[in-house]
Amino acid sequence: SAVISQKPSRDICQRGTSLTIQCQVDSQVTMMFWYRQQPGQSLTLIATANQGSEATYESGFVIDKFPISRPNLTFSTLTVSNMSPEDSSIYLCSGTPLGGHLPDTQYFGPGTRLTVL
Amino acid sequence: AQRVTQPEKLLSVFKGAPVELKCNYSYSGSPELFWYVQYSRQRLQLLLRHISRESIKGFTADLNKGETSFHLKKPFAQEEDSAMYYCALRIGGGADGLTFGKGTHLIIQP
């Protein structure tokens, strides 16, 4: 399995500012993903964080708004840029560890609760 | 595009009663199906996946390709089963992200 931590756990931000969320895994993972969970909604995939190359974004999400970095196999960041109240959500990171009992299983971080005023 | 539907937002059953959480999907190929669970104040965690064909915490789920369903069942509910349950689908193997349903809040009454 993989234990995933996220920083910060929550934040309250002013509109127009940016916030960078960090995701750290305790072991190497092949794939890392970022999801968003808006209030009362399900989890929606934002992008796949690729190690050493640009992230792959899902329809409706763009790099300028959600730049992602993944400098190595255990760490990734998601930035929410030029925030508006509509960006208020829980942002979750997930990873798929190398090998293990259940290959290709996605493990999730605890989430970052973002409120934009 | 693929889609996962969980028709019940809230399901309340008494302890000891059978539980069935419904999940239907739309996808023309052969997806992988998962059930994730989120207990109060805990992170999302995998409950089971269809390729494992396991029973976890007394829960089972069978993939029915004809009905495009992956319902989660447990014969006798326990109070500790109270949680949010999400059905999810993946189409491209481990390199792909998950498509989630909206979730069902299961409440087990004593």
Side-chain angles (χ1 to χ4, degrees):
Chain A
S1 66
V3 178
I4 300 179
S5 59
Q6 289 183 230
K7 286 184 190 177
S9 58
R10 59 177 62 222
D11 207 342
I12 300 173
C13 301
Q14 297 296 321
R15 70 170 65 210
T17 63
S18 298
L19 176 72
T20 295
I21 302 168
Q22 298 180 5
C23 176
Q24 179 73 56
V25 190
D26 70 341
S27 58
Q28 291 186 338
V29 292
T30 51
M31 309 301 296
M32 292 182 78
F33 304 92
W34 287 97
Y35 294 82
R36 178 175 75 180
Q37 187 173 26
Q38 293 176 301
Q41 302 296 315
S42 185
L43 287 82
T44 301
L45 181 65
I46 297 172
T48 302
N50 300 308
Q51 196 251 329
S53 64
E54 260 189 24
T56 306
Y57 289 84
E58 298 299 305
S59 176
F61 298 96
V62 295
I63 187 171
D64 290 346
K65 176 66 177 177
F66 297 103
I68 287 171
S69 79
R70 189 177 172 194
N72 56 51
L73 290 176
T74 63
F75 186 78
S76 177
T77 66
L78 168 77
T79 298
V80 186
S81 303
N82 188 24
M83 287 183 284
S84 67
E86 293 70 37
D87 295 320
S88 297
S89 293
I90 298 174
Y91 291 86
L92 296 106
C93 168
S94 76
T96 306
L98 293 169
H101 170 59
L102 293 174
D104 299 338
T105 296
Q106 279 192 36
Y107 292 87
F108 283 81
T112 295
R113 184 180 294 271
L114 170 62
T115 302
V116 184
L117 303 177
Chain B
Q2 65 275 17
R3 178 180 288 184
V4 177
T5 303
Q6 293 180 250
E8 302 134 333
K9 204 170 181 177
L10 174 67
L11 182 64
S12 179
V13 301
F14 285 101
K15 176 181 171 183
V19 174
E20 183 178 45
L21 289 87
K22 292 186 167 48
C23 172
N24 287 89
Y25 66 91
S26 62
Y27 179 62
S28 56
S30 295
E32 291 181 84
L33 273 296
F34 304 82
W35 277 100
Y36 277 82
V37 60
Q38 188 167 27
Y39 301 102
S40 179
R41 296 192 193 88
Q42 294 187 27
R43 67 184 65 195
L44 200 62
Q45 57 186 280
L46 178 68
L47 180 61
L48 50 80
R49 53 195 291 181
H50 88 271
I51 62 170
S52 299
R53 305 182 72 82
E54 295 174 302
S55 173
I56 305 294
K57 299 185 179 183
F59 284 98
T60 59
D62 290 317
L63 179 60
N64 186 323
K65 292 185 179 180
E67 296 182 358
T68 59
S69 68
F70 189 56
H71 303 326
L72 183 68
K73 299 177 184 179
K74 183 169 182 176
F76 308 103
Q78 298 172 285
E79 287 186 68
E80 54 265 34
D81 296 329
S82 294
M84 196 74 188
Y85 290 80
Y86 293 94
C87 183
L89 171 157
R90 184 167 69 188
I91 62 174
D96 270 13
L98 297 166
T99 299
F100 283 88
K102 291 192 173 183
T104 298
H105 188 189
L106 176 64
I107 296 174
I108 307 300
Q109 298 193 47

